Amino acid sequence: MEAVGNPLATIDDVQRRLDDQGYIAERSLATAIFLARRLERPLLVEGEPGVGKTEIARVLAEVLDTRLVRLQCYEGIDVAQAVYDWDYARQMLEIRLLEASGERDERRVRREIFGRVFLLKRPLLQALEAPDGRAPVLLIDELDRADEEFEAFLLELLSDWQITVPEIGTFRAEHPPLVIVTSNRTREIHDALKRRCLYHWIPYPSFDKELQIVRRKVTGVSEQLSQQLVTLVQELRQIDLAKAPGLAETLDWAAALLALECSSLEMQMVDRSLGALVKDQEDLERTRERLPALIARAQEGARDLGI
């Protein structure tokens, strides 16, 4: 797939290189990435918000020393935003110039104004290009936010690594991109698209993994505070909240507590910083009702570990 070297030649390589970039991946995820690259298949990654799905693509681009092409999906996204558009202002100017020159051949005028020079390449078309011989990493982020009809635009790209522009022809990737598609499962992704992808589910991290990530990502946080806050977050996910905190919220909260110069969980500081962890009004109320018990258990858990 790439012209120079292969830093992801084995599953061990994938796991080690991701770890070098600060991304702790389970063996199953490393295997899925290895296979996606080896088989030249897109990888559909689903999981709760904030568990590190998007980060995979950024880290892979770093590992492969290549560019990251990102398509952020949203309701109403269409071909003009995702695949290509035309530079209408320049086309109008060209039409006027042709008219001024006396050009009357309609077919020639159409051929001129719908040429490659007036084509605006959007992320999906950009991802087919590898000017330096290195295929990019293409991130199609939060596909479930897009309308179901939008998935049809992806089928040709994800199965044949090509996109057809009717006025010009077919663009085909000489070096297929490594494609990561993410979804938070707010709706089901269509079977036709799933068939073109490998699949991996990322759950919330275990206590040990989340603690390890906090230690790495939040420099300066004490061991006692790390243990306590991770314990509290893990318990909070067992409560029936509208939006349970993800790993991203854990890191935000750890950074907030560190900024408030906390070395252990205390009621007042936890309450003041709770907005970094819980981001729904009703969830905040439910959490505050349980805070004394949650903090007590987090402190007890750290004492049991001798911290």
Side-chain angles (χ1 to χ4, degrees):
M1 178 181 284
E2 67 178 346
V4 288
N6 184 4
L8 305 180
T10 68
I11 297 171
D12 287 337
D13 286 340
V14 175
Q15 204 163 16
R16 179 174 54 79
R17 295 301 295 267
L18 292 180
D19 190 82
D20 290 345
Q21 293 292 326
Y23 192 98
I24 302 172
E26 309 289 353
R27 185 78 177 175
S28 58
L29 175 58
T31 303
I33 293 171
F34 170 80
L35 289 175
R37 187 169 159 78
R38 177 63 64 89
L39 303 178
E40 296 188 349
R41 296 280 298 277
L43 176 60
L44 171 60
V45 183
E46 290 193 322
E48 301 293 343
V51 293
K53 301 186 294 297
T54 300
E55 185 71 359
I56 295 171
R58 187 194 66 76
V59 171
L60 285 172
E62 290 287 333
V63 170
L64 296 170
D65 189 24
T66 190
R67 64 196 170 98
L68 172 65
V69 179
R70 177 173 182 168
L71 176 65
Q72 176 63 55
C73 297
Y74 54 88
E75 186 177 354
I77 190 171
D78 60 15
V79 171
Q81 288 91 40
V83 188
Y84 70 91
D85 201 357
W86 294 102
D87 189 338
Y88 295 113
R90 290 186 60 212
Q91 284 178 315
M92 288 302 298
L93 179 60
E94 182 70 11
I95 290 171
R96 292 194 181 100
L97 289 173
L98 288 170
E99 288 175 345
S101 69
E103 180 59 60
R104 294 290 184 271
D105 186 334
E106 186 176 332
R107 292 177 62 183
R108 180 171 180 272
V109 171
R110 182 175 178 78
R111 192 167 58 248
E112 288 286 337
I113 63 172
F114 285 104
R116 290 176 183 247
V117 69
F118 297 108
L119 188 69
L120 299 175
K121 296 178 181 178
R122 302 305 192 201
L124 297 184
L125 200 51
Q126 292 170 11
L128 297 182
E129 299 175 333
D132 57 358
R134 296 185 183 187
V137 174
L138 171 61
L139 169 64
I140 302 174
D141 207 13
E142 300 184 323
L143 180 59
D144 53 323
R145 286 176 176 263
D147 303 319
E148 290 184 36
E149 294 75 13
F150 176 73
E151 293 180 26
F153 297 131
L154 301 176
L155 298 182
E156 182 184 19
L157 169 66
L158 298 185
S159 59
D160 299 323
W161 305 118
Q162 65 180 34
I163 289 173
T164 299
V165 178
E167 296 87 348
I168 296 177
T170 299
F171 293 78
R172 182 175 177 76
E174 185 177 349
H175 303 283
L178 176 57
V179 180
I180 305 295
V181 183
T182 75
S183 166
N184 293 327
R185 292 196 72 183
T186 57
R187 67 169 176 82
E188 280 294 319
I189 302 300
H190 198 279
D191 287 345
L193 191 138
K194 282 185 173 178
R195 279 196 295 273
R196 287 161 171 79
C197 300
L198 303 181
Y199 179 84
H200 186 79
W201 170 265
I202 299 183
Y204 286 123
S206 65
F207 175 86
D208 290 340
K209 181 178 178 181
E210 191 159 27
L211 180 60
Q212 192 177 355
I213 293 170
V214 168
R215 286 168 176 159
R216 282 195 183 192
K217 297 284 188 180
V218 188
T219 305
V221 67
S222 71
E223 184 60 23
Q224 178 176 248
L225 181 59
S226 301
Q227 296 267 1
Q228 291 177 350
L229 73 89
V230 171
T231 300
L232 191 147
V233 171
Q234 294 269 328
E235 286 218 19
L236 202 55
R237 292 188 186 127
Q238 306 307 313
I239 299 174
D240 184 23
L241 300 179
K243 184 181 181 306
L247 177 59
E249 281 74 30
T250 303
L251 296 175
D252 283 348
W253 192 40
L257 291 168
L258 186 64
L260 294 171
E261 300 181 348
C262 294
S263 58
S264 65
L265 290 189
E266 296 174 3
M267 184 66 190
Q268 189 178 52
M269 288 302 182
V270 171
D271 186 72
R272 288 178 181 175
S273 62
L274 210 52
L277 181 64
V278 180
K279 300 176 180 176
D280 178 272
Q281 173 58 24
E282 293 182 356
D283 286 348
L284 275 173
E285 292 175 2
R286 291 194 189 96
T287 303
R288 285 196 167 102
E289 290 172 0
R290 295 168 171 80
L291 265 188
L294 288 168
I295 293 173
R297 284 198 290 275
Q299 292 170 340
E300 184 181 349
R303 279 197 298 272
D304 290 345
L305 293 170
I307 297 171

